[in-house]
Amino acid sequence: MTLYWLPLGAGGHCIRLNGRIFEHLQARHEHRPVRDLYHSVLQVRLDAQRFVIEMTPVLGGGTADRGVVREGPVGSRLLRRSPLFRYEIRCWRDGTISDVAEVVAGPRTVSSDAVRAREVLRLAPLAPALVWGRDEARAGEMWNSNSLTAWLLAGSGHQMETIGPPVHGRAPGWDAGLTVAARRRGQLASQDAAVEFPGLRRS
């Protein structure tokens, strides 16, 4: 499994400019240096198959074309009927990564474990469809594409202490994914503890 870090807004000047403005304001508010912002993409290889997993705005076309497994609203649930305010989660077999030439610090291998790879693929359609750009989960920061990546990696058992953006960089939304994944693990542990039947096989 490989993690790609792309500059936020790679290939799109408007998004990159808005990201820089956001980071300057955030850094000033938090009294810290300005950092580079990144967007994360996962590539999963399982046997002879390869999948690209990413959260991105809906761009039109059939959902089968890009391996779309889930959609969610952008900005507000009131706007979710418009394709302009929806995002899609892709688990795209043999998919491509836009602007991959701009990847920073090279593709990073985070795991070669087939069990974890299968779990990431299983979890992708189950990812929370929270509002992109809002903190619906009350995790302390907004939900976005980095939240999805962190949620998938943490939920599949990866050691997240060693996984993060390039040096001097920041991945907004990353901690939200970790927080929501930790809550899910806690809920599953509570459910398992409530089972009284001995010998029950846990999934």
Side-chain angles (χ1 to χ4, degrees):
M1 191 175 325
T2 308
L3 176 61
Y4 292 78
W5 289 108
L6 300 170
L8 183 66
H13 298 295
C14 180
I15 295 176
R16 180 172 289 186
L17 176 60
N18 289 338
R20 286 176 176 170
I21 294 172
F22 167 80
E23 173 59 9
H24 274 274
L25 294 175
Q26 192 78 5
R28 176 178 294 183
H29 175 72
E30 297 175 356
H31 305 288
R32 60 167 175 79
V34 174
R35 301 172 187 166
D36 296 325
L37 299 184
Y38 292 99
H39 160 69
S40 55
V41 183
L42 281 175
Q43 181 172 264
V44 179
R45 290 187 181 273
L46 189 61
D47 300 324
Q49 301 178 83
R50 182 181 62 84
F51 298 86
V52 170
I53 302 178
E54 182 179 18
M55 181 194 289
T56 182
V58 171
L59 300 176
T63 55
D65 296 341
R66 302 179 303 278
V68 177
V69 295
R70 197 152 172 75
E71 290 190 0
V74 173
S76 170
R77 291 195 178 276
L78 298 176
L79 302 172
R80 65 184 181 275
R81 293 185 181 276
S82 169
L84 297 176
F85 294 94
R86 287 206 311 273
Y87 67 80
E88 58 190 29
I89 295 175
R90 304 175 185 175
C91 188
W92 189 1
R93 184 172 180 175
D94 298 324
T96 60
I97 300 175
S98 299
D99 305 304
V100 69
E102 296 192 46
V103 65
V104 176
R108 177 177 179 184
T109 300
V110 295
S111 174
S112 57
D113 187 335
V115 173
R116 287 179 179 169
R118 288 191 181 91
E119 183 64 2
V120 166
L121 295 176
R122 185 188 75 83
L123 288 174
L126 306 176
L130 299 173
V131 176
W132 187 340
R134 299 288 183 181
D135 184 14
E136 277 192 323
R138 297 186 178 179
E141 64 174 351
M142 63 182 175
W143 187 263
N144 60 22
S145 57
N146 292 322
S147 308
L148 170 69
T149 301
W151 186 86
L152 289 171
L153 291 175
S156 55
H158 289 80
Q159 297 299 313
M160 301 305 294
E161 296 82 0
T162 62
I163 303 174
V167 177
H168 306 305
R170 196 165 74 85
W174 187 264
D175 288 343
L178 298 181
T179 298
V180 174
R183 290 175 184 169
R184 178 179 181 273
R185 287 196 301 271
Q187 292 168 354
L188 292 177
S190 298
Q191 293 170 4
D192 284 351
V195 175
E196 298 179 357
F197 300 100
L200 180 66
R201 183 177 182 181
R202 298 177 182 174
S203 56

